[in-house]
Structures are given as C-alpha cells and as structure tokens.
Amino acid sequence: MKIIVIGASGLIGSAIVSALTPRHEVIAASRKSATHPVDITDKASIAKLFAGLGTFDAVISAAGGAAYRPLADLTDADFAMSLGYKLMGQVNLARLAVGHLSDGGSITLTTGVYAKEPPPNAAAIAMVNSGVNGYVIGAAGELPRGIRINAVSPPLVGPFRLNAAASRVECMTPEDVALAYVEAVEGRSTGRVIDTRSYARRT
Ligand SMILES: NC(=O)c1ccc[n+]([C@@H]2O[C@H](COP(=O)([O-])OP(=O)(O)OC[C@H]3O[C@@H](n4cnc5c(N)ncnc54)[C@H](OP(=O)(O)O)[C@@H]3O)[C@@H](O)[C@H]2O)c1
C-alpha cells in the first residue's frame, strides 16, 4: 500500500513509519519535512501535499496539539488553538484525503485516553480528543467507496513498558502504540476508537 504518515518525524510517527516500512511504500510528512512539508492547521497546505501525491491507499495522522493548562488559566486563544490544531487539523486532513484515497482506503487519526481519563490541566485536551472520537464514529458510516476511518487512542507514550507487577498501563512505548496504527491500516475495521493499551507488551 501507498501510505502517507503525517507527523512522521515524531515520537509516535517515527515508530509508525518503522512498523509499516517493511511491507508498504511510506511517505513521511510533517511541517519541517524537506520532501513532504505540510501544516495540518492550514487547509491549503494539506491540499497542496495531497495534490502532489496522486492516489494513495491510507493516510495516518500522528500530529496535533492542544493546550495543557489548569482549567482556570485556559484562554480563548488556548481553546481556539486546541480546536484548530488537534481537532480541525485532523478533521480537515480526513475531509481532504477522501478525494485522493483509493477504493477501500483508510484514514487513521490520533486521539488519546485523556478523552475519558484526563489528569489535572487536561480539559482542553479531553475536549479535542472527544471531538476526534466523535468525528470518526460519526463519519464512518457516510464515507464513500468503502473508505474506512478510525482513531488510535494512546495513553502517555514514553520509553517504558508496563511492569509485570502493575495492574494497569500508564505509559506505553511508541513501538507498542504503533501496532494499533498497523491494525487500523491493514485490518478491516471502521468507526473505531482503538485504545492502544490492549497492545501493551508486558515485560
Ligand atoms: N506522546 C504522548 O504521550 C501522546 C499520548 C497520547 C496522544 N498523543 C498524540 O499523538 C500525536 C503525536 O504525539 P507525539 O508525542 O508523537 O508528538 P511529537 O513527538 O511532538 O511529534 C509530532 C509530529 O507531528 C509533526 N507536526 C506537529 N505539528 C504539525 C502540524 N501542524 N502539521 C503537520 N505536522 C505537524 C511534527 O513534525 P514537525 O515539527 O516537522 O511538524 C512531528 O513529526 C499527537 O496528536 C498527540 O496529542 C501523544
């Protein structure tokens, strides 16, 4: 498959690229990419990237940010940035990808477990993650030509694996998180929010 990974240079994105590269043609994009620059907060930038790539079979977004601040300190600008970046940045990516995806192609966005399990200071993150989840669930049944859409929902991602003694994954490696993106692209599901904690390898 020809797969576009946006956010390919990041912690999660680079693990996705490593997981998919052996079996697929992977095109790595991000703002600072020398070959495939794109800014998901700018629709014209997304359209320009896709126009130069022809038809592709899958697009993955591992990009997007939101304000991480105490509730009382969140400003109008924080909300606008969060909505325009992780939520509408990815939604616009999905909307613009449809015209370039092959029949049966797939869109995979990134959300996060903070949608339902936010720590302090994560109200804006919870808000946009829930928006991504809602878009994926709502859009899945209306996409044309068998195009699928899913969201991958990681917890905190870092270099540590779950300790066998622990009862719950608090932090996952990017490599384990990437397995959920592989399933979203290579599997058949649509309209799913995939909680990556089911992929955690316990050490
Ligand atoms: N890390 C975690 O613990 C964690 C947990 C749950 C969910 N997530 C979510 O997973 C996603 C990736 O997180 P990460 O930790 O891998 O982030 P990261 O290491 O900061 O990487 C972000 C990637 O996205 C690209 N990027 C950033 N803004 C962009 C934009 N406006 N347009 C296009 N590309 C952009 C960056 O490259 P350039 O700078 O070149 O653009 C980079 O490749 C985010 O949506 C994040 O909310 C992360």
Side-chain angles (χ1 to χ4, degrees):
M1 280 189 264
K2 180 175 173 182
I3 302 172
I4 319 302
V5 179
I6 296 174
S9 59
L11 181 67
I12 295 173
S14 53
I16 297 169
V17 171
S18 297
L20 291 170
T21 295
R23 293 184 302 286
H24 302 284
E25 176 192 357
V26 178
I27 293 164
S30 71
R31 290 172 303 190
K32 300 191 205 79
S33 167
T35 52
H36 297 99
V38 64
D39 182 347
I40 64 167
T41 66
D42 176 358
K43 277 178 77 180
S45 168
I46 301 169
K48 186 175 173 192
L49 172 76
F50 289 164
L53 292 174
T55 300
F56 44 86
D57 303 299
V59 62
I60 296 172
S61 168
Y68 182 65
R69 302 185 71 181
L71 184 67
D73 295 344
L74 284 168
T75 63
D76 289 355
D78 289 327
F79 282 112
M81 181 278 287
S82 304
L83 290 166
Y85 195 0
K86 188 162 184 178
L87 179 54
M88 288 313 299
Q90 295 197 96
V91 168
N92 285 332
L93 190 71
R95 294 169 69 207
L96 290 165
V98 171
H100 299 270
L101 280 163
S102 56
D103 293 355
S106 71
I107 300 162
T108 307
L109 306 182
T110 297
T111 175
V113 302
Y114 287 1
K116 289 190 176 171
E117 303 166 34
N121 308 326
I125 300 175
M127 176 184 74
V128 295
N129 282 348
S130 294
V132 172
N133 296 352
Y135 181 76
V136 162
I137 292 165
E142 291 188 54
L143 288 172
R145 298 184 290 106
I147 292 172
R148 301 181 296 107
I149 185 167
N150 296 286
V152 171
S153 182
L156 191 62
V157 181
F160 311 108
R161 287 217 176 112
L162 174 70
N163 185 294
S167 58
R168 188 159 170 263
V169 179
E170 297 294 352
C171 183
M172 285 182 68
T173 64
E175 291 75 21
D176 284 358
V177 167
L179 298 174
Y181 292 85
V182 172
E183 183 184 308
V185 169
E186 296 182 347
R188 300 179 61 85
S189 63
T190 193
R192 270 182 75 199
V193 176
I194 304 170
D195 189 324
T196 62
R197 289 176 291 195
S198 56
Y199 295 82
R201 283 173 283 191
R202 286 154 171 79
T203 55

